[in-house]
Amino acid sequence: MRLLSRVLSVLVCLGLASCAGVKVGTNYDPAAVQRINSFHTYAWLSQPQRTKDTRINNDITQAQVTEAADRDLQARGYKKVDASANPDFLIGWQGAIDTRLSAESVDNYWGYPWDPFWGSYYGPWGTYVRQYDVGTLILDVVDAREKRLVWRGTAQANLGDSPSVQGNGGRIDKGVEKMLEKFPPKQEKS
C-alpha cells in the first residue's frame, strides 16, 4: 500500500507538471501608451532569419504565429493593411528553443526504485538529470510613424523531451492570445 501511495503521488506531480501552461510577460514604453491606444491599423514586419533552427524558422510556425495574432487583433477591431498603406503599427515575432537540464535528488528514505527483495526503504539514491526544451515566443509592436519599439510580449512553455511542430500549434495560439490580452497596455494611475 505504501508503494502505491508513493507511485500515485509521483504520477500526480508529473501530470501537474506536464499541464503547466504558458508563462507570459509584457513590457511597454509608458510614454507611448496614449499613442498605442490610438492605433487602428497594422502590418507585419518581414521575418528575419535570426536562427538556423528549423523548428522555429519554417513556414508552418510562421503561419501559426501570424494567423493566431491576426485572429486576435482583428477580433478586437484592428485592421490588417499592407505595409505600404501607412499602418499605425508594425508587428513582428521571433522565437527560440532552449535546452535545459533539471536535476532531482532522491534519498534512500523514499526508496526509489522499489525492490521486492529489500523492500521500499533500501533502494538506491542519487541525482537524476532530465533534459527538456523550453520554447520562447516574442511579439514586438513598433510604432510605424516613429519607427521604435513600443510594446513587447513574451511567452514561454515547456516543450518536453522531444518537441514536435504538430504539438506546438496549441501552445502558440495560447501564448499569442495570453500576450495580446495585455495589448494595448493600460495607462498607469499616478
Side-chain angles (χ1 to χ4, degrees):
M1 186 64 174
R2 261 188 252 171
L3 173 64
L4 180 59
S5 64
R6 289 183 192 144
V7 170
L8 187 59
S9 65
V10 169
L11 291 175
V12 168
C13 289
L14 288 173
L16 290 174
S18 68
C19 294
V22 177
K23 296 177 189 171
V24 173
T26 60
N27 196 3
Y28 61 92
D29 179 3
V33 172
Q34 188 172 6
R35 172 94 174 110
I36 294 170
N37 286 325
S38 69
F39 290 165
H40 299 289
T41 60
Y42 74 96
W44 280 94
L45 290 166
S46 61
Q47 178 66 17
Q49 292 290 336
R50 296 181 187 260
T51 179
K52 294 181 181 178
D53 191 343
T54 57
R55 296 175 296 177
I56 300 163
N57 288 322
N58 61 62
D59 293 339
I60 296 170
T61 305
Q62 172 76 20
Q64 289 173 335
V65 172
T66 56
E67 287 173 13
D70 285 343
R71 182 174 47 248
D72 190 272
L73 289 170
Q74 291 170 9
R76 292 190 291 128
Y78 293 99
K79 182 179 178 187
K80 181 180 174 182
V81 297
D82 191 67
S84 63
N86 294 324
D88 295 326
F89 68 95
L90 303 169
I91 186 168
W93 73 274
Q94 53 189 309
I97 296 178
D98 299 315
T99 300
R100 298 192 182 163
L101 297 175
S102 171
E104 298 173 21
S105 297
V106 178
D107 62 17
N108 61 357
Y109 174 77
W110 293 102
Y112 294 106
W114 183 78
D115 181 55
F117 181 72
W118 291 104
S120 62
Y121 291 101
Y122 299 102
W125 60 277
T127 302
Y128 299 96
V129 178
R130 181 178 75 93
Q131 180 176 321
Y132 61 98
D133 289 322
V134 173
T136 303
L137 177 65
I138 299 172
L139 286 180
D140 287 332
V141 171
V142 175
D143 185 326
R145 184 177 62 184
E146 297 180 14
K147 304 289 189 231
R148 67 183 179 98
L149 181 68
V150 292
W151 184 89
R152 172 171 277 181
T154 59
Q156 279 194 335
N158 183 341
L159 302 177
D161 298 333
S162 57
S164 67
V165 174
Q166 293 82 8
N168 292 336
R171 288 188 197 109
I172 289 173
D173 288 347
K174 188 174 189 175
V176 168
E177 179 182 333
K178 286 178 77 173
M179 278 188 280
L180 290 177
E181 283 175 1
K182 300 177 182 195
F183 179 81
K186 306 294 184 248
Q187 184 74 39
E188 292 182 5
K189 295 179 182 177
S190 302

